[in-house]
Amino acid sequence: MVLEAKNEVCLTFDTDWLCDAFLETTIEILEEYDLSATFFATNESSLLQSLDQDRYEIALHPNFLDEKFEWRIDALSILKEIYPEATGTRSHCLTFSSRMLPDLKSLSIQYESNIFLFGQQYLLPVLRAKNFWSLPFFWSDDKYLELAYSFKKPEFFDLKEKGLKVYNFHPVHIFLNTDRVNRYENSRITFNTKNMFNYVNKGLGVRTIFIDLCRQIKALNLKTKRMKDFI
């Protein structure tokens, strides 16, 4: 099969155990700009389960390594029971191996998104095995923070270029409007409590550039897709 590079945009979010009260900030922005998206869920969420499935996809974000860094393949099956319609996965910490393919296919998972190529343009979905796809992503807020990119002039790479452009955000960074890694690290002692509000950045940060990206997408009349729409 020969795939043609088209200008395709997808917004994805690794929920990372953020509770619904704070996850709602991300969804409100998506609703405001009328954009479709894919959420990679780490846990049960009544908010995610209530979303319009025609606009939003709920995929799986399993943590295959426990606190002792021992392998837990059941992490995927547990999430699949919560979200039985899920057909995609992206692992916490991007943990992946080709030896996992039989387990993924047995759970009717059709794609994974663990290949991260920051800033790489002209990407395409890759057929990794029979009826199983790899969908790479090329932008992530945590890498943006790590590399200290500008929040005044956000770098999203050229939205007008052809290729698969999968953006990855973490709703915790959108809620905190994270502007530096230390802000997030310091906030972790208050995770999922009302005290998280004490760490919210009121200046430029991940939330402001997420909104800027949404505005650019709308200005260019681009339609965002769910990840499963590419397979």
Side-chain angles (χ1 to χ4, degrees), residues 199-230:
Y199 292 89
V200 172
N201 168 37
K202 296 181 180 179
L204 299 176
V206 170
R207 188 193 309 168
T208 60
I209 65 170
F210 172 49
I211 292 172
D212 188 66
L213 175 61
C214 292
R215 288 173 175 166
Q216 289 189 39
I217 291 170
K218 296 299 286 187
L220 292 170
N221 291 317
L222 297 173
K223 298 292 185 181
T224 57
K225 292 185 176 181
R226 304 165 301 176
M227 293 286 271
K228 67 180 184 180
D229 294 329
F230 296 119

Side-chain angles (χ1 to χ4, degrees), residues 17-116:
W17 300 277
L18 191 67
C19 69
D20 288 355
F22 302 130
L23 178 60
E24 194 168 10
T25 300
T26 296
I27 295 171
E28 287 175 350
I29 296 171
L30 289 170
E31 289 287 316
E32 179 180 353
Y33 290 94
D34 192 26
L35 298 173
S36 295
T38 294
F39 287 88
F40 289 93
T42 50
N43 55 283
E44 187 168 7
S45 164
S46 59
L47 180 58
L48 292 181
Q49 291 168 321
S50 71
L51 296 177
D52 181 356
Q53 295 185 15
D54 290 332
R55 286 186 54 187
Y56 300 108
E57 174 191 4
I58 311 303
L60 308 180
H61 193 49
N63 184 10
F64 290 115
L65 298 175
D66 63 17
E67 294 178 354
K68 297 181 181 179
F69 290 94
E70 295 179 352
W71 188 254
R72 286 194 54 204
I73 193 62
D74 66 327
L76 186 69
S77 58
I78 291 171
L79 283 176
K80 182 68 172 180
E81 290 181 4
I82 299 172
Y83 303 102
E85 302 301 317
T87 58
T89 183
R90 175 188 291 149
S91 309
H92 190 61
C93 298
L94 305 182
T95 306
F96 193 77
S97 167
S98 58
R99 293 186 177 183
M100 296 167 59
L101 289 173
D103 293 300
L104 296 176
K105 296 177 76 171
S106 72
L107 293 172
S108 299
I109 300 299
Q110 299 176 16
Y111 75 85
E112 59 86 18
S113 182
N114 292 291
I115 299 173
F116 180 37

Side-chain angles (χ1 to χ4, degrees), residues 165-180:
K165 291 180 282 292
V166 178
Y167 294 88
N168 185 44
F169 287 87
H170 295 79
V172 66
H173 290 315
I174 292 175
F175 173 77
L176 292 172
N177 193 27
T178 309
D179 57 338
R180 61 186 188 276

